[in-house]
Amino acid sequence: MRKILITIVSVFFYCLNSNSQIISIEDIGLIPIDGAYYKDNELLLNRFVGTWEYTNGNNSLTIIFQKITRQRANYSEDLLIGEYKYIENGVEIINTLNNISNSENNIHGNSVIYHNSKPTCNDCVVGEKRLVVSFGDPLKQTWGPLYLRKINVGGQEAISAQFILNGTRYIGGSDLEFTQVYVGETFPNGTYVLIKQP
């Protein structure tokens, strides 16, 4: 009798889960639908998974990206998460790579943008999809957008990563008033070309 009850409960929950709505990450809105699963149907996030490195003399930027499915309170979504290390003039400025397994990451997101979306992509072809994710600087406690584009450099897989941090942090006050404070950036804004590492 107990096995029958367990089977019935299992079938019930399977049916309940299979009735959840599967929606492309491209169609996620400002207010997600309760019970929905925002899925990377076109495997766009997979294109960025791996370890990527930019080098210029004694400066380097390494980013690790992983794809996960994160369960939120009322919905779930496929996300690209990441962490990074920046070295300037041979000195390690920041290294968050060990945080890749944490539940909160310094890079995360899944917003799909197109060739004609801002910021302008002069090299994009019509219909080309890019990705914008949130990028956090834990040293300065600031956040900004990180625009990602999959490219090819000399026959090697690469990504173009455009950082746009304004170095501004908002400090809470009383009655929900916030003070804007300029704290600078840990590393320079701009576009970096990172090559995929083996």
Side-chain angles (χ1 to χ4, degrees):
M1 183 68 174
R2 185 170 184 225
K3 286 184 179 182
I4 293 172
L5 182 59
I6 290 172
T7 303
I8 290 171
V9 170
S10 298
V11 168
F12 171 76
F13 281 111
Y14 173 79
C15 291
L16 186 67
N17 287 336
S18 65
N19 287 331
S20 65
Q21 191 173 3
I22 297 176
I23 303 170
S24 171
I25 59 171
E26 295 182 52
D27 297 324
I28 194 167
L30 294 176
I31 302 174
I33 298 169
D34 285 354
Y37 170 28
Y38 293 93
K39 184 175 177 60
D40 181 20
N41 290 328
E42 294 184 26
L43 305 178
L44 177 64
L45 303 180
N46 293 28
R47 297 173 18 188
F48 298 97
V49 170
T51 301
W52 307 85
E53 189 169 89
Y54 158 86
T55 56
N56 182 8
N58 290 329
N59 297 345
S60 68
L61 173 64
T62 303
I63 302 178
I64 296 176
F65 285 121
Q66 292 179 357
K67 177 181 170 179
I68 64 166
T69 300
R70 183 162 286 160
Q71 180 64 46
R72 304 290 184 181
N74 301 326
Y75 66 96
S76 59
E77 63 182 332
D78 289 342
L79 281 175
L80 188 69
I81 62 166
E83 297 295 342
Y84 62 97
K85 175 174 68 173
Y86 178 64
I87 295 173
E88 185 174 78
N89 296 322
V91 177
E92 185 174 281
I93 304 298
I94 187 168
N95 186 348
T96 70
L97 295 177
N98 289 334
N99 297 336
I100 194 70
S101 299
N102 291 355
S103 60
E104 297 297 324
N105 300 97
N106 290 298
I107 303 172
H108 62 273
N110 59 9
S111 297
V112 179
I113 59 174
Y114 296 87
H115 71 281
N116 56 353
S117 301
K118 300 252 185 227
T120 304
C121 176
N122 296 328
D123 298 333
C124 289
V125 297
V126 174
E128 182 176 339
K129 296 176 184 178
R130 296 179 286 156
L131 197 63
V132 61
V133 296
S134 293
F135 174 81
D137 179 344
L139 295 181
K140 302 291 186 175
Q141 298 179 353
T142 58
W143 287 89
L146 169 58
Y147 297 91
L148 300 170
R149 179 178 179 230
K150 185 73 185 287
I151 60 175
N152 188 297
V153 175
Q156 295 180 313
E157 281 188 83
I159 57 172
S160 171
Q162 184 179 10
F163 296 87
I164 304 177
L165 293 173
N166 65 9
T168 302
R169 181 172 60 202
Y170 294 89
I171 300 172
S174 60
D175 298 327
L176 298 177
E177 293 178 8
F178 294 92
T179 303
Q180 183 176 341
V181 178
Y182 181 75
V183 293
E185 297 90 18
T186 299
F187 66 88
N189 280 331
T191 302
Y192 297 78
V193 174
L194 296 94
I195 305 296
K196 189 163 192 181
Q197 303 301 298

